[in-house]
Amino acid sequence: MTNKRENSYDGAYEGDNEQQANEGKRISGAPSGSQGYTPNTLDGPNFAQQDAEDVVSKAWKMTKVAIESSDIAKLEDAIILAREAADTHMDDPVLRSSALDCLRRVHDAMFRETGRVEHVGKGVEASEAVNICPSTHPDRPIHLSNLACILHTRFEISANTNDLDRSITLREQVLAISPLSHRSLGLYNLAASLRVRFQATADLADLDRSIVLNEESLELASPSDRPDRLLSLAISLRTRFGHTANVCDLERGVTLLEEALILAQSTEHRRACLSELATSLWTRYKETREVADLERSITLDEEVLQLCTPTHIDRSYYLANLALSLGGRFRVKKNIADLDRAIELGEEALTLIPPNHVTRSRRLSNLAWSYNDRFGSNKNLDDLGKCITLREQALALCPTTHNHRHCRLIYLAHSLRKRFRRQSDIADLDRSIQLAQSALQSLPPNHPRRSYCLNILSLAQLDHIRAATCQNSNHDCAFSTLSIEDVISQLRNAANALHSPSHVRLAATLSWVDASTDFHHQSRFEAYTTMFDILDTLVTRGYSLESRYSQLTTDGWITRAKRLSFAIAENRPRDAVVFLERGRALLLAQVGHCRMPLDVIRTRDAPLAAELESVGRQLDGLLASNTKSTDFTISSVADDPIAQSMRLTSQWDSLVEKARRLDGCHDFLRPTPFHSLQHGAYGGPVIFININHPLSHAVIVVHEGDPLTVPLPHATPKAVQDLTVAFHNARHQHVSNFYSALRTLWDIIVGPVANRLEPQLSAGSRIWWCPSTAVAQLPLHAAGHYNKSAPLHMKLPHLFVSSYTSTL
């Protein structure tokens, strides 16, 4: 069994941050029925008549030689001979069906070698030989199974579910008439086809049945067939993990693959086991962020490649897999050598497929991502130019009816925008907007990628507005009438697109925050509120600590959260406190030092918490999985996953409302209102320090009334950083340097706060500092002027008792 799979970035999302590289999920070309009724044989059926054997057997023997040599000329000769054999026996249904089956086999090989899809259609025509083979003939199951195989292949190309459904029906028939000795194989093939139909329709019943059939097939398998059966069951379990997020399925799949690897006897079996185990380890790495899994995945991919001869039909797939695994390691370790090698492997993989191969568009797109990553690292415009060239070629080869064409459009649009931001060529920006609009127009309203496309379109339009403003340009184009109101509206829609993955909506929301801030738009508060709402969802939907940390530290929300001084400037200190507290809770969540909202639910209703976790991860998993496809598969039932996401969204909303009815959980996934936060100041005022450009502030939460705001005009980000360095250096210097640093700390931060509090508090009262970022490293409690002539009211310890808190 040859198990083809290839990583893909189709549908991976690229954030606006240049350092946010995408991790394409490794995609398994799960066994799709490539095994016929008989084990992998190219010898053809046995013949009753010796003279007939001389004619048809010759065709089979030539086919075998041609396939094993991957020689196109020999394959073409085999096609001619197989046709002649079929024509020779027009009146003998048994021999004619055997010759036509040989013709199907060689057309299938031609497709695999050349990527020319017309060979699949001709293979289907030849496989219809089953209709002339007598129903009682022992070869009939062979022809039924082979017709199922070629119909499955045609489905992978055209996404015509009628072909897949018919293939499954044929496999059911084969299973019904198979002798017990062949039942394991029939179960195995049917299970594989059901798994593929699940990938097209997201009907869990198909996948669950696939697993049941795989289990039965494994029980009946001979020792020589056991590695194949283990492999197929492991793939089905991993597929179900991707849908349900049940880690037990993934772990069991890894165990099965380890056993299959031990049992694998042939090079072909070992190669398949290594490749699938690498994929499962990659999947587990993405779940746990355990680098050991990533490293072993790469080691296995290297071994797979070593087992591939230079002319092996699947070598290009394995090259592409290793290339993208190395790209994944680059994003973890930032070793440019990994990325350089990934590019070399990707280029080599391209040379092994013909220019018109059905997979070439995807290969070009994948290679473009590697150049994109290297540009993000070295800012070399040559790499960006190469990325754009590859994406242009990938788009040109992508059929207009391909339902991933919008990926080619939007990624090219984003790359052109990047080049505009470096070279200021307005033509790049104009085309970027045109491509993004085309991508958006090709998507239905609830498509999971709609948020991403809206975001990229809006970013390009914002650049156009800025360019027109800065240059006072009379540039004549279709976008000269763009308004900030229209762009903000698009970003609002992208942020609230509930059928898009949470991390994609977050990227759009950050763009909205930036645009509303840069253009002083009235939607700033709404944008910030949406940002925190989505972040709360991200840390609630059952993600591991490692995944949560990765997500929360790479989206740039912390930078935006520091810009809350506008809330103070607009005399909305209560809102500023709510925002500051939400940001602090998320920062603590990164390192697991804060109970998550789901933890609170778990203490009151553990089954409900488990259901929330499961549905939340299914929802985000489903939306993310709809961005992936195998080399040939084009989902023709996009509405089914959308309908399922709508069902899961409704279920999620119902569970959230149920959680809010629990005692003490009324504000679950809602921001804690200010009046509740204010109770935290019962034991003394709580002081937040917000260091920002152009103006820093202290916000003092008191037990009653509005928060007090204190401008800190001298506490610039640079001044605070310099002060941090001064305290660090003072440990190894004369004590006078330490006192000097304490004096500066009083002057720029603590003094203005103390002066504001002194009229309202008696001496010795307790105050609570709630510092963050660099301020958290400063000894606020000790600030003051300690020279002999300084009055006592300029020394904080003589005024108040200081304590620290991490949150209200």
Side-chain angles (χ1 to χ4, degrees), residues 489-677:
S489 177
Q490 287 177 173
L491 289 171
R492 180 186 284 111
N493 291 338
N496 292 303
L498 298 181
H499 302 292
S500 291
S502 299
H503 69 279
V504 179
R505 294 174 53 216
L506 178 59
T509 306
L510 297 181
S511 299
W512 180 12
V513 167
D514 291 344
S516 62
T517 300
D518 293 347
F519 290 89
H520 304 287
H521 194 267
Q522 60 186 4
S523 65
R524 273 187 294 183
F525 275 96
E526 183 186 355
Y528 272 96
T529 299
T530 304
M531 178 185 78
F532 283 119
D533 288 345
I534 295 174
L535 285 164
D536 284 343
T537 299
L538 277 170
V539 300
T540 299
R541 285 186 172 172
Y543 292 95
S544 64
L545 175 60
E546 292 85 358
S547 297
R548 204 165 64 212
Y549 180 85
S550 175
Q551 186 69 61
L552 294 181
T553 55
T554 57
D555 280 313
W557 70 271
I558 298 174
T559 303
R560 277 76 169 187
K562 293 177 181 177
R563 302 176 185 168
L564 296 175
S565 56
F566 76 86
I568 300 167
E570 295 181 9
N571 196 28
R572 299 177 67 167
R574 293 190 175 210
D575 291 317
V577 169
V578 171
F579 284 147
L580 286 167
E581 185 65 12
R582 295 185 78 177
R584 296 182 65 77
L586 288 163
L587 284 168
L588 292 170
Q590 290 179 9
V591 291
H593 289 169
C594 180
R595 294 179 77 194
M596 291 294 92
L598 202 60
D599 296 331
V600 178
I601 302 299
R602 192 172 285 112
T603 62
R604 291 163 171 76
D605 189 335
L608 176 59
E611 194 172 2
L612 274 163
E613 184 175 58
S614 174
V615 172
R617 294 188 68 177
Q618 283 185 58
L619 182 57
D620 268 3
L622 172 68
L623 296 176
S625 68
N626 285 333
T627 69
K628 316 297 191 303
S629 71
T630 62
D631 270 341
F632 306 119
T633 300
I634 306 169
S635 175
S636 62
V637 286
D639 288 339
D640 285 348
I642 290 173
Q644 188 173 9
S645 74
M646 294 175 69
R647 177 183 63 78
L648 286 170
T649 299
S650 176
Q651 189 177 355
W652 168 264
D653 291 341
S654 297
L655 291 171
V656 168
E657 288 304 315
K658 185 177 179 180
R660 287 172 178 167
R661 291 195 291 270
L662 296 175
D663 183 40
C665 298
H666 175 72
D667 292 325
F668 175 61
L669 291 187
R670 290 187 180 125
T672 305
F674 175 76
H675 64 81
S676 296
L677 293 174

Side-chain angles (χ1 to χ4, degrees), residues 676-794:
S676 296
L677 293 174
Q678 197 169 27
H679 293 314
Y682 184 81
V686 180
I687 306 153
F688 291 91
I689 307 296
N690 184 46
I691 304 299
N692 192 25
H693 178 79
L695 183 61
S696 300
H697 288 85
V699 182
I700 306 171
V701 181
V702 292
H703 185 53
E704 295 180 347
D706 286 335
L708 309 175
T709 60
V710 181
L712 303 174
H714 302 295
T716 64
K718 183 179 185 307
V720 171
Q721 185 60 43
D722 290 345
L723 189 56
T724 302
V725 173
F727 274 110
H728 180 270
N729 294 338
R731 295 180 303 170
H732 311 291
Q733 298 172 345
H734 191 272
V735 68
S736 61
N737 292 318
F738 184 72
Y739 284 127
S740 175
L742 287 174
R743 183 166 58 251
T744 302
L745 179 59
W746 171 272
D747 291 342
I748 69 173
I749 295 178
V750 176
V753 173
N755 293 337
R756 184 65 182 272
L757 288 174
E758 192 173 4
Q760 303 184 31
L761 298 177
S762 58
S765 295
R766 184 173 298 277
I767 62 175
W768 295 84
W769 295 98
C770 192
S772 60
T773 61
V775 180
Q777 303 176 51
L778 302 176
L780 300 170
H781 62 282
H785 289 227
Y786 289 94
N787 52 306
K788 294 181 180 180
S789 61
L792 291 178
H793 69 267
M794 295 183 71

Side-chain angles (χ1 to χ4, degrees), residues 388-405:
I388 290 172
T389 298
L390 290 167
R391 285 180 167 167
E392 294 274 17
Q393 294 172 2
L395 178 60
L397 289 174
C398 188
T400 56
T401 56
H402 196 299
N403 81 328
H404 283 92
R405 182 176 170 81

Side-chain angles (χ1 to χ4, degrees), residues 23-294:
E23 291 180 354
K25 182 177 179 181
R26 295 169 67 98
I27 296 175
S28 169
S32 59
S34 57
Q35 267 190 300
Y37 179 80
T38 55
N40 293 323
T41 176
L42 292 173
D43 298 321
N46 293 322
F47 300 99
Q49 300 103 322
Q50 183 64 39
D51 60 335
E53 182 179 2
D54 292 339
V55 179
V56 181
S57 181
K58 184 178 180 181
W60 275 101
K61 289 176 180 177
M62 179 175 285
T63 297
K64 180 178 181 180
V65 171
I67 291 175
E68 290 177 347
S69 66
S70 299
D71 189 313
I72 301 297
K74 290 181 179 178
L75 286 169
E76 290 172 345
D77 290 341
I79 289 175
I80 295 172
L81 185 58
R83 284 174 180 164
E84 290 177 355
D87 292 341
T88 301
H89 298 287
M90 294 293 292
D91 298 328
D92 188 326
V94 175
L95 293 177
R96 177 171 168 78
S97 62
S98 176
L100 288 171
D101 190 40
C102 177
L103 182 60
R104 171 208 62 83
R105 185 69 179 87
V106 72
H107 274 302
D108 180 69
M110 280 290 281
F111 166 69
R112 301 296 170 186
E113 288 290 344
T114 67
R116 290 164 54 188
V117 296
E118 63 267 23
H119 285 290
V120 177
K122 292 176 181 178
V124 171
E125 292 175 6
S127 279
E128 297 292 352
V130 70
N131 294 323
I132 62 173
C133 185
S135 59
T136 57
H137 195 279
D139 286 347
R140 183 170 176 81
I142 299 175
H143 300 312
L144 285 170
S145 186
N146 289 338
L147 176 57
C149 279
I150 199 72
L151 285 169
H152 189 108
T153 300
R154 190 165 70 178
F155 158 75
E156 291 180 323
I157 298 168
S158 67
N160 185 337
T161 53
N162 291 332
D163 281 339
L164 181 58
D165 291 341
R166 189 178 172 209
S167 175
I168 289 173
T169 299
L170 289 167
R171 295 209 186 282
E172 298 270 16
Q173 294 174 15
V174 170
L175 191 61
I177 63 177
S178 296
L180 183 61
S181 60
H182 288 86
R183 182 168 178 78
S184 176
L185 179 59
L187 290 163
Y188 165 85
N189 282 335
L190 179 57
S193 292
L194 288 168
R195 178 174 61 242
V196 172
R197 188 164 69 181
F198 159 76
Q199 291 167 339
T201 65
D203 184 350
L204 259 180
D206 275 340
L207 185 57
D208 288 339
R209 188 179 175 217
S210 171
I211 291 172
V212 170
L213 295 174
N214 270 316
E215 298 273 17
E216 185 181 351
S217 176
L218 181 60
E219 291 178 2
L220 296 174
S222 65
S224 62
D225 289 334
R226 186 170 177 81
D228 276 345
R229 308 306 185 257
L230 290 165
L231 198 64
S232 182
L233 177 56
I235 294 169
S236 291
L237 289 168
R238 186 179 66 225
T239 302
R240 188 165 68 181
F241 162 77
H243 190 78
T244 66
N246 185 341
V247 179
C248 293
D249 280 341
L250 182 59
E251 294 293 351
R252 186 181 174 216
V254 170
T255 301
L256 293 171
L257 288 167
E258 297 278 15
E259 181 186 350
L261 185 58
I262 293 171
L263 296 176
Q265 297 295 318
S266 70
T267 300
E268 192 72 20
H269 278 139
R270 181 168 181 81
R271 191 164 49 232
C273 293
L274 287 166
S275 183
E276 289 302 340
L277 182 55
T279 296
S280 290
L281 291 171
W282 169 267
T283 304
R284 191 166 70 180
Y285 158 72
K286 292 190 69 178
E287 175 70 12
T288 66
R289 297 295 165 182
E290 180 59 55
V291 178
D293 279 339
L294 174 60

